[in-house]
Amino acid sequence: MLLRMILFLALCIVFIHVPEGQSGCAEVDSMTEAVAGKTFMLGCISCKRREEVPGSAIVDWHFKPSEDEDFIHIFQYEYTSPSFLHENYEGRLEWHGTMGTTDVQNGAIFIHNVTFNDTGTYRCTFHRTLFLPPDEEHVTISKDVELTVVKEAKRELTAVISEIMMYVLIVVLQLWMIAVLIYCYKKIYAENEAREARKAAAQNKLIDASDPCEGDHFE
């Protein structure tokens, strides 16, 4: 869950801070498990098929509790005008999608102070207008997020495996460094031994060359 959350936040930062016309768009699924008492981001991204076509969009969020059959309208975002439409979410919702343009492609929202009553289905709907000559084109796209609220966050298997691999890699690198140090020490020691042996051999030759007992022998 942690890895997917990081990826989704990175994509949101790209949408918010990169100027229009230079940004890319990738539709990433929202997280589906929130922790009670914490802040949770409901993700919803709808990419245009052609980035060069100008457009505008209004984003609606609806919520259906687990035990109900009908959706209730809780939030609407129209450029510079977020609207909070249900008393249960008053002061708890915050727009975290595309800003600074009417051409909205990221419709993410924050839910602050999550409660167990927030468990259910959230529906994000883009009402997009594409300004194509000679007429405008209207497109409606909806995405559902099945949210579960838990008391404590659960660690996903991928996160556990990643952490284990990190520690294994650290241990392997440390062992490799120790092996390299031992190898270098042995190599330096062997070179010193060879140098000392060469010095000893050279000194023996000098001694032999200067031996006064050597010379011509007569009978």
Side-chain angles (χ1 to χ4, degrees):
M1 185 175 73
L2 180 60
L3 296 177
R4 292 176 61 193
M5 187 69 175
I6 293 172
L7 176 60
F8 193 88
L9 287 172
L11 288 170
C12 289
I13 292 172
V14 170
F15 272 107
I16 294 170
H17 295 288
V18 177
E20 183 184 5
Q22 298 179 1
S23 63
C25 181
E27 298 189 8
V28 180
D29 292 336
S30 173
M31 304 299 295
T32 58
E33 185 178 277
V35 179
K38 304 293 185 179
T39 295
F40 180 77
M41 183 173 69
L42 281 169
C44 182
I45 297 176
S46 174
C47 301
K48 292 190 305 183
R49 288 172 295 178
R50 296 176 60 184
E51 286 289 335
E52 70 276 10
V53 177
S56 65
I58 298 173
V59 180
D60 285 306
W61 279 96
H62 293 77
F63 171 62
K64 183 181 71 171
S66 300
E67 66 278 4
D68 293 351
E69 296 183 358
D70 298 326
F71 281 91
I72 55 176
H73 199 179
I74 61 173
F75 181 82
Q76 182 180 81
Y77 179 81
E78 187 173 2
Y79 179 55
T80 70
S81 301
S83 301
F84 307 94
L85 305 174
H86 196 275
E87 57 184 6
N88 290 345
Y89 291 89
E90 188 69 32
R92 294 202 301 131
L93 296 182
E94 179 186 353
W95 176 253
H96 200 68
T98 305
M99 298 182 187
T101 175
T102 60
D103 195 2
V104 178
Q105 296 187 71
N106 182 0
I109 58 173
F110 275 150
I111 303 179
H112 298 290
N113 192 24
V114 174
T115 69
F116 289 102
N117 292 330
D118 295 327
T119 298
T121 303
Y122 291 82
R123 177 166 293 170
C124 165
T125 305
F126 282 81
H127 305 280
R128 176 170 289 131
T129 300
L130 299 173
F131 303 115
L132 293 167
D135 297 320
E136 297 178 350
E137 180 181 345
H138 299 279
V139 181
T140 300
I141 298 172
S142 294
K143 298 187 176 185
D144 289 350
V145 179
E146 298 289 340
L147 182 64
T148 301
V149 180
V150 298
K151 186 176 181 180
E152 295 180 354
K154 299 178 182 178
R155 300 184 66 188
E156 288 192 351
L157 180 60
T158 53
V160 175
I161 294 175
S162 298
E163 185 173 347
I164 292 174
M165 292 301 297
M166 179 185 68
Y167 287 118
V168 169
L169 182 60
I170 291 173
V171 172
V172 170
L173 288 175
Q174 289 178 340
L175 293 175
W176 178 78
M177 290 179 64
I178 293 173
V180 169
L181 289 174
I182 293 174
Y183 170 77
C184 292
Y185 173 78
K186 287 183 175 180
K187 186 174 182 180
I188 293 172
Y189 181 79
E191 289 178 352
N192 287 335
E193 288 291 318
R195 185 163 53 250
E196 292 297 327
R198 287 194 298 270
K199 283 184 179 180
Q203 289 177 355
N204 289 334
K205 287 182 178 180
L206 289 174
I207 292 173
D208 293 340
S210 60
D211 190 346
C213 296
E214 290 186 357
D216 297 329
H217 298 276
F218 301 95
E219 293 183 359

